[in-house]
Amino acid sequence: MKIAIKGNRDRYIKFAPDMELFHNSELIFLSRDAGDEEVLREAGDAEILFVDAITEVSGKLMQEMKKLRLVHSEGVAYNKIDLETAKELGIFVCNNKGVNAGAVAEQTILLMLACLRYTIDGDAKVRAGKQIQTKEERMVSGITDLADCKVGLVGFGDIGKATAKRLEAFGCELYYYSKNRKTPEIEEEFKVTYLSMEKLAATCDIISLHAAVTEETQGMINAQFLARMKKNAYLINTARGDLVDNAALRAALIHGTIAGAGLDTIDPEPVLADHPLVALPEGVREKVVYSPHLGGITIGSFRRMHRNMWENANRVARCERPNNVVNGLETFR
C-alpha cells in the first residue's frame, strides 16, 4: 500500500506502531505545506493520506488522487479538509477523537493557573531581582484561587469533559455551553450546569474554549461575547484559534474589557511575532500567557494517535470501515 504523509518524518517514524502494514507500505513523506502539485507529482497514486491537523486538503487534490481511500488527521481537528468532496468521492475522512483529551485538559488548567498566579510576570520579576517587591505588590492587589472561580466550558466533548473532571478536584463551580444540551445524567456525572452563551459570558470568571471549528463556531468569541464577560475574567483557548475574532480580543485586552487570556492556539499558524495577539502594547502583553500549541502533543497522545491512524489504515486495507469517520461516509466507493 502507498501512503502519503504530509508531516514530520521523524515524528511518524518515532511513534509508528510495530505493525505489518507500517513495515510493508511505501511511505512518501512531504512537508506539511506541500502544494497540490507536489503531492500529485510525488504521491498521486497513494491510497492513504495522513495529514497534520492544521493542513488543508482540497477537493481538487482528492479528485486527482484516483486511488485515495482515506484521509486521516493526525490530531482532532479536520476543518481544513474538504469533507463534502471526500464524501462524494467515497473517501473516508477520520480524526483522532478523544485520544489527547487528558493532555489538553492538563494544558488548559496550566494556563488557568498561570493567568491567576501571574506566572510569567512573576518569573520575569524574580530574574530581575524584584522578588520581594513583587510579592508585596501581589499581597495587596490579590491573587484568586482557582477553587473560587466559576469556570465556563464552551463545548463539552471529550476535552471539555476531561477538563471538567480535573476542575472538579479543584473545587470549581462548573458551567458549560454546547449546541446540544447534554442529558441530566451527564450533567450530574461531570457536575456541570448548562447556560446559554450569553449567560456563560456574564457569569463565569474563566471562559475555556473546547468547541470544534465549524461555520457556526468560527469567530464565535467576538466583540459582543467579550463585552459580556466580567472585567476580571480570563479567556482560555486550547481548542482552535479560529474560534476567536483576533481583532476583538486584541481590543478587549487593550481596553481592559477582560483581565487577560491564556492561549495555546492562535489563528493563523505559524504564529509570527507581528501577530496582533502577540505584538501587544507595553502594559498589555503581560495580560496574556502563551504556549506554542502543545496541549495535545504529549508522548502518550502521539502514541495513541499514531496507533489509531495505522489501525484505521489497516481497516481500509481490509475494506473495513475505519473508526472516527467525520464526513458521514458509511461504505467504500
Side-chain angles (χ1 to χ4, degrees):
M1 178 172 281
K2 192 168 188 176
I3 300 177
I5 300 172
K6 291 185 73 174
N8 182 277
R9 183 183 187 280
D10 292 342
R11 185 168 73 241
Y12 274 84
I13 297 301
K14 177 178 180 178
F15 293 108
D18 187 15
M19 294 173 61
E20 184 177 344
L21 182 66
F22 169 74
H23 296 296
N24 295 336
S25 294
E26 180 185 357
L27 307 183
I28 308 298
F29 287 96
L30 301 147
S31 74
R32 186 187 65 202
D33 301 319
D36 290 358
E37 289 186 7
E38 182 180 351
V39 176
L40 291 171
R41 184 175 63 250
E42 301 295 329
D45 58 346
E47 297 172 69
I48 307 286
L49 177 60
F50 290 156
V51 296
D52 188 286
I54 62 172
T55 298
E56 181 180 358
V57 181
S58 70
K60 181 180 178 182
L61 176 63
M62 290 185 281
Q63 288 169 347
E64 295 294 326
M65 296 182 72
K66 304 300 183 183
K67 294 184 178 180
L68 190 62
R69 305 167 74 191
L70 170 67
V71 177
H72 208 303
S73 169
E74 186 184 12
V76 177
Y78 52 85
N79 57 295
K80 295 198 174 180
I81 303 171
D82 188 333
L83 301 182
E84 290 302 318
T85 299
K87 186 175 182 180
E88 291 171 6
L89 295 170
I91 299 169
F92 288 105
V93 179
C94 300
N95 75 339
N96 281 311
K97 179 181 183 296
V99 298
N100 64 358
V104 177
E106 289 181 8
Q107 187 73 16
T108 301
I109 293 170
L110 169 69
L111 291 173
M112 291 179 183
L113 290 169
C115 287
L116 292 172
R117 299 280 175 158
Y118 306 99
T119 301
I120 303 302
D121 179 65
D123 178 87
K125 292 295 176 57
V126 172
R127 293 176 189 275
K130 298 179 179 179
Q131 175 266 322
I132 195 65
Q133 298 97 313
T134 304
K135 178 182 178 181
E136 293 285 349
E137 290 170 3
R138 291 303 177 198
M139 283 194 289
V140 174
S141 62
I143 295 174
T144 302
D145 292 333
L146 182 55
D148 291 334
C149 290
K150 296 177 181 178
V151 179
L153 307 170
V154 178
F156 204 64
D158 295 310
I159 296 172
K161 291 174 181 174
T163 303
K165 276 295 184 185
R166 287 156 176 77
L167 287 172
E168 183 187 350
F170 281 86
C172 299
E173 194 172 320
L174 301 176
Y175 300 88
Y176 81 100
Y177 168 81
S178 64
K179 184 177 180 181
N180 299 307
R181 182 172 179 174
K182 305 305 177 183
T183 64
E185 290 77 17
I186 290 177
E187 292 182 351
E188 173 60 28
E189 178 184 355
F190 291 93
K191 305 296 187 293
V192 293
T193 300
Y194 177 85
L195 290 177
S196 67
M197 279 287 281
E198 293 78 8
K199 289 186 176 180
L200 198 78
T203 300
C204 294
D205 306 296
I206 299 174
I207 299 292
S208 187
L209 307 183
H210 303 286
V213 177
T214 65
E215 289 185 6
E216 186 178 353
T217 63
Q218 191 153 5
M220 68 191 303
I221 306 304
N222 53 24
Q224 291 73 29
F225 182 90
L226 292 164
R228 293 188 182 101
M229 288 177 63
K230 299 178 178 180
K231 287 188 178 296
N232 64 343
Y234 292 90
L235 177 72
I236 307 295
N237 190 5
T238 54
R240 279 291 178 270
D242 312 59
L243 299 173
V244 177
D245 180 325
N246 290 337
L249 179 55
R250 176 183 171 87
L253 292 166
I254 290 173
H255 298 304
T257 306
I258 63 173
L263 306 175
D264 187 49
T265 57
I266 301 174
D267 181 60
E269 288 192 34
V271 180
L272 304 179
D274 62 352
H275 191 285
L277 288 179
V278 177
L280 293 166
E282 188 174 352
V284 178
R285 64 190 65 152
E286 294 80 7
K287 296 180 178 181
V288 186
V289 178
Y290 306 98
S291 54
H293 201 174
L294 47 69
I297 61 171
T298 62
I299 291 172
S301 293
F302 269 125
R303 285 177 178 158
R304 291 187 292 272
M305 287 188 286
H306 282 250
R307 171 160 290 280
N308 185 59
M309 292 165 72
W310 283 100
E311 287 177 348
N312 268 343
N314 232 345
R315 291 184 181 98
V316 169
R318 298 193 301 262
C319 293
E320 299 173 4
R321 189 176 188 272
N323 66 26
N324 296 340
V325 176
V326 296
N327 65 332
L329 186 65
E330 294 295 333
T331 59
F332 286 93
R333 58 182 171 184

